[in-house]
Amino acid sequence: MDCQICGSGSVRLFQKYQYWIRECTGCKHRFCELEPAHDHVDTVYSDAYFFEGGDGYPDYLGEANLLLAHGVRYGRLLNQLMKPGRVLDIGAAAGFILKGLQSTGWQGIGVEPNARMAAYAAEHLDVDVRAGSLEMFETNETFDLVSMIQVIGHFYDLESALAKAASVTRAGGYWLIESWNKDSLVARGFGQNWHEYSPPSVLRWFGPSDLNRAAAKFGFTPVAHGRPSKRINLDHIESLLSYKLSHPVMKKMMSAAFGLFPKHTTVPYPNFDLFWVLYRNSA
Ligand SMILES: [Zn+2]
């Protein structure tokens, strides 16, 4: 299986939940060995992904305020570098991040494979999120900015996803990509047990250098980068941990520990394994 970024060969690294994770021998990009079914996106991002925990969210809508704030932070950051314009948010879910961007002067639309999420955005937030996969998304418009917040690791076909993103970005336009960092100390420290190794919902793992290389193929070069500051819900951490911990005693202890906090308590996320990059199309 050749690397979709640099075309080199790849080797099997380790198995996680019965899926092999491979590493490119050239650029060190990691990806899941998987031939996804044509309905992969529908199955993985079903309502269960957003509401039933596991490797997804225990209650996505419960994270509304955190996601809104995340969008606002990115909007303010972007506005220091450019004038707000039209944005396409890929993997927009219920539209909270897009809503946050809008409150800082951006306008635009989202694309989201989960129809219930997309409908929620229209009904409750008055945000235009189109239901469907990125591949099927059609528009005559080109955007000043395409945002991919924690979505690039989910692309099975990276090449065509980025080709699509490039085709809807205006000349001189931007991509904002936030991703988990497989090269971070945290990720390397945890090794195979790093929380982001959770196929098949996550299929790719990037560090800054392979991400830059992927963007460069489409004429995008980095103009700014950093680590996102964010808060997350303790409920979400508890749900993820209980999914990862297999030992019943560990589960019980953890449950007792989390029981000491009120529901929906938020904590700052130590963001050592997250990064964002703003790219500009030099075309
Ligand atoms: Zn490669």
Side-chain angles (χ1 to χ4, degrees):
M1 292 181 78
D2 293 344
C3 172
Q4 273 206 343
I5 296 175
C6 74
S8 304
S10 65
V11 291
R12 281 180 164 180
L13 278 189
F14 57 88
Q15 234 178 341
K16 195 74 185 273
Y17 312 136
Q18 288 132 40
Y19 298 92
W20 277 102
I21 291 175
R22 304 184 73 96
E23 183 175 79
C24 166
T25 54
C27 71
K28 304 296 176 195
H29 177 57
R30 292 184 176 184
F31 56 96
C32 182
E33 182 179 317
L34 165 78
E35 278 303 332
H38 62 94
D39 60 350
H40 171 78
V41 164
D42 295 339
T43 336
V44 171
Y45 308 106
S46 63
D47 291 347
Y49 177 78
F50 289 103
F51 297 102
E52 289 171 19
D55 58 347
Y57 293 88
D59 175 17
Y60 186 84
L61 300 179
E63 315 227 328
N65 290 334
L66 298 178
L67 293 162
L68 266 171
H70 203 43
V72 170
R73 271 194 298 271
Y74 272 129
R76 287 181 183 150
L77 187 114
L78 290 163
N79 292 351
Q80 291 171 13
L81 303 162
M82 67 190 82
K83 275 205 298 221
R86 293 276 299 167
V87 56
L88 173 68
D89 187 34
I90 296 177
F96 295 120
I97 288 180
L98 190 51
K99 184 79 180 175
L101 284 169
Q102 286 181 354
S103 74
T104 64
W106 287 82
Q107 300 293 320
I109 61 177
V111 197
E112 165 56 39
N114 183 286
R116 187 169 156 199
M117 287 283 127
Y120 185 96
E123 278 163 32
H124 298 275
L125 301 178
D126 198 23
V127 169
D128 183 359
V129 174
R130 314 278 165 89
S133 66
L134 179 60
E135 290 84 353
M136 305 296 285
F137 175 67
E138 294 289 346
T139 178
N140 295 323
E141 193 182 351
T142 53
F143 295 85
D144 302 297
L145 172 74
V146 173
S147 55
M148 294 175 254
I149 309 295
Q150 288 192 26
V151 67
I152 196 161
H154 299 283
F155 291 141
Y156 167 71
D157 190 347
L158 180 69
E159 184 107 36
S160 54
L162 292 185
K164 185 71 169 214
S167 74
V168 298
T169 310
R170 72 161 168 83
Y174 294 86
W175 285 353
L176 173 65
I177 300 183
E178 179 188 301
S179 169
W180 297 95
N181 184 357
K182 71 157 168 61
D183 297 334
S184 62
L185 282 174
V186 173
R188 284 187 289 166
F190 278 100
Q192 306 183 13
N193 295 317
W194 184 42
H195 61 83
E196 267 309 284
Y197 290 125
S198 58
S201 79
V202 182
L203 297 169
R204 300 186 169 277
W205 300 272
F206 294 86
S209 69
D210 45 332
L211 186 63
N212 286 349
R213 201 159 169 167
K217 284 179 81 173
F218 296 92
F220 285 77
T221 46
V223 291
H225 63 93
R227 286 207 299 237
S229 59
K230 65 186 297 184
R231 300 179 72 83
I232 62 173
N233 264 329
L234 275 186
D235 310 3
H236 190 180
I237 306 176
E238 181 181 6
S239 162
L240 284 174
L241 281 175
S242 85
Y243 179 69
K244 307 279 175 193
L245 293 175
S246 45
H247 199 287
V249 175
M250 291 289 288
K251 270 194 193 198
K252 220 174 212 172
M253 283 170 59
M254 186 201 65
S255 209
F258 277 90
L260 300 172
F261 297 92
K263 272 257 175 235
H264 304 308
T265 303
T266 68
V267 292
Y269 181 78
N271 58 8
F272 304 115
D273 55 355
L274 272 172
F275 69 113
W276 61 262
V277 186
L278 182 69
Y279 293 96
R280 183 162 201 202
N281 181 349
S282 42

